[in-house]
């Protein structure tokens, strides 16, 4: 096909030899199948900030590290330079997350770098070479759903161990190849330790997976992986091979309720005794 304008610089630099076809036109990016030498790869071309819902980005960017202070100030001010920097941070966030997750034992497309707002990565395919379908487009047996859900929970846990929460995990951002689920679409990945919304995002990610696989394996609908993971993470006990159960031990809240009830009872008894003393005193 005709080379899209945004990919031309990569052609000029010899990073891409041919654009084969457009795979998908998403809200935030256009995705192409490209040829690099004798390898077929995937090129994700980010759309401009104006074409994306940029307000939403604020929630995700909280706590994102910007090393250069001039850059941090510019981003705060929202100046033109700032917006350009924010855009770069956003785009680099996905390639950074891909590298970090690949080395943390999470299956993601292998990244080849991000150049001029174009992310080059492995094209996820099935064994026949066809582009892998999204999780939302495949059906499965109950056993398969349970198995894949367990794999996904391990991936979410490993991401958390690497300090990352996906933030937009759903059946549309997971591909399925012959070996199982592959996590994609990470530009909004958040820093688990620095972002105040991290726990809420982790919970939403885990709920999405639970509800999706739960359609095929209803037994999953009672599991509580998000709470289990977050509690362990906060206690510093989470590690990449932790054997998650999806069950949560009764926490102290219940005990606290009992303690409060005991206190109320004691206060009522005390008040009764006080009234009784007054009554007795009045009678004397
Ligand atoms: N590495 C890949 N291999 C195969 N297909 C891919 C790959 N990356 C993306 N895709 C396809 O392109 C689609 C869009 O990619 P992605 O989710 O990363 O971008 P997006 O702009 O955020 O899309 P959306 O707004 O639809 O979520 C995916 O749903 C998937 O079908
Ligand atoms: Mg997506």
């Amino acid at each position: 096909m005709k080379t899209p304008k945004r990919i031309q610089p990569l052609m000029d630099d010899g990073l891409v030899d041919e654009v084969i076809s457009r795979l998908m036109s998403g809200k935030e990016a256009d995705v192409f199948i490209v040829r690099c030498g004798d390898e077929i790869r995937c090129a994700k071309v980010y759309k401009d900030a104006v074409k994306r819902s940029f307000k939403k980005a604020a929630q995700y960017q909280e706590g994102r590290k910007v090393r250069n202070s001039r850059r941090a100030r510019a981003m705060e001010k929202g100046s033109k330079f700032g917006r350009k920097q924010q855009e770069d941070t956003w785009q680099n966030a996905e390639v950074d997350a891909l590298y970090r997750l690949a080395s943390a034992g999470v299956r993601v497309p292998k990244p080849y770098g991000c150049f001029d707002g174009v992310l080059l990565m492995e094209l996820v395919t099935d064994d026949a070479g066809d582009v892998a379908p999204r999780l939302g487009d495949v059906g499965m047996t109950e056993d398969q759903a349970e198995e894949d859900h367990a794999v996904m929970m391990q991936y979410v846990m490993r991401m958390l161990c690497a300090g990352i929460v996906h933030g937009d995990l759903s059946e549309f951002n997971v591909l399925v190849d012959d070996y199982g689920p592959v996590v994609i679409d990470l530009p909004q990945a958040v820093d688990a330790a620095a972002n105040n919304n991290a726990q809420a995002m982790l919970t939403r990610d885990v709920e999405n997976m639970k509800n999706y696989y739960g359609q095929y394996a209803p037994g999953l609908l009672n599991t509580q992986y998000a709470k289990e993971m977050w509690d362990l993470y906060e206690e510093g006990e989470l590690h990449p091979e932790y054997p998650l159960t999806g069950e949560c031990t009764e926490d102290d809240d219940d005990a606290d309720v009992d303690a409060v009830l005991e206190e109320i009872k004691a206060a009522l008894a005390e008040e009764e005794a006080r009234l009784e003393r007054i009554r007795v005193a009045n009678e004397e």
Side-chain angles (χ1 to χ4, degrees):
M1 66 178 275
K2 186 169 169 287
T3 306
K5 215 169 99 213
R6 295 277 305 279
I7 299 188
Q8 191 58 50
L10 283 80
M11 295 271 260
D12 298 342
D13 287 346
L15 291 160
V16 169
D17 293 302
E18 186 191 347
V19 180
I20 297 173
S21 63
R22 180 196 294 264
L23 183 57
M24 202 70 84
S25 205
K27 288 189 298 291
E28 280 154 6
D30 293 319
V31 179
F32 297 89
I33 301 179
V34 298
R35 183 175 62 78
C36 308
D38 50 15
E39 280 194 48
I40 301 299
R41 289 184 184 163
C42 180
K44 181 171 177 177
V45 181
Y46 296 101
K47 291 191 174 163
D48 297 339
V50 277
K51 292 187 190 140
R52 296 194 319 247
S53 135
F54 210 66
K55 273 195 202 124
K56 201 179 115 200
Q59 188 188 14
Y60 289 107
Q61 300 223 334
E62 201 205 275
R64 191 164 283 174
K65 281 194 202 75
V66 179
R67 281 173 210 98
N68 177 319
S69 66
R70 173 165 127 83
R71 225 196 287 170
R73 281 199 304 278
M75 277 169 67
E76 269 163 28
K77 272 195 276 176
S79 64
K80 200 169 157 213
F81 173 71
R83 228 168 304 136
K84 166 88 175 63
Q85 294 299 310
Q86 206 156 18
E87 189 74 330
D88 290 352
T89 308
W90 174 274
Q91 292 166 357
N92 285 327
E94 179 156 31
V95 77
D96 285 352
L98 288 174
Y99 281 115
R100 283 168 69 187
L101 294 186
S103 63
V106 178
R107 273 197 77 205
V108 291
K110 185 173 163 41
Y112 297 104
C114 187
F115 314 91
D116 297 326
V118 180
L119 167 64
L120 282 182
M121 62 182 149
E122 171 195 354
L123 181 71
V124 183
T125 61
D126 59 19
D127 277 352
D130 293 321
V131 179
R134 299 190 292 192
L135 176 58
D137 297 327
V138 297
M140 64 190 84
T141 62
E142 183 169 355
D143 284 353
Q144 188 70 59
E146 279 173 2
E147 195 181 306
D148 286 4
H149 177 265
V151 170
M152 279 306 305
M153 289 303 103
Q154 193 181 37
Y155 289 168
V156 173
M157 175 181 77
R158 288 179 177 174
M159 283 191 229
L160 190 54
C161 290
I164 295 173
V165 173
H166 187 293
D168 192 20
L169 195 60
S170 73
E171 63 271 32
F172 307 109
N173 286 331
V174 175
L175 302 179
V176 184
D177 72 4
D178 295 332
Y179 304 92
V182 183
V183 177
I184 62 163
D185 201 1
L186 290 137
Q188 71 295 312
V190 307
D191 182 332
N195 190 308
N196 285 324
N197 306 310
Q199 185 183 4
M201 288 182 181
L202 178 94
T203 304
R204 192 178 57 189
D205 285 354
V206 170
E207 287 293 301
N208 285 345
M209 289 296 104
K210 175 172 90 177
N211 292 331
Y212 188 77
Y213 288 109
Q215 300 175 87
Y216 301 100
L220 295 172
L221 296 171
N222 299 319
T223 57
Q224 297 200 49
Y225 284 94
K227 184 161 177 12
E228 183 184 14
M229 277 185 226
W230 192 264
D231 287 353
L232 290 162
Y233 172 68
E234 279 195 322
E235 286 158 20
E237 285 173 24
L238 201 62
H239 61 81
E241 302 303 327
Y242 193 96
L244 294 172
T245 63
E247 285 162 27
C248 254
T249 46
E250 288 267 306
D251 59 23
D252 305 330
D253 293 354
D254 294 340
D256 285 345
V257 169
D258 288 345
V260 169
L261 282 177
E262 283 306 313
E263 249 171 68
I264 292 172
K265 265 195 229 158
L268 283 174
E270 211 172 278
E271 178 65 2
E272 249 169 61
R274 191 180 69 90
L275 291 174
E276 178 65 12
R277 279 198 304 278
I278 292 171
R279 202 175 51 77
V280 170
N282 285 344
E283 273 173 12
E284 278 167 2

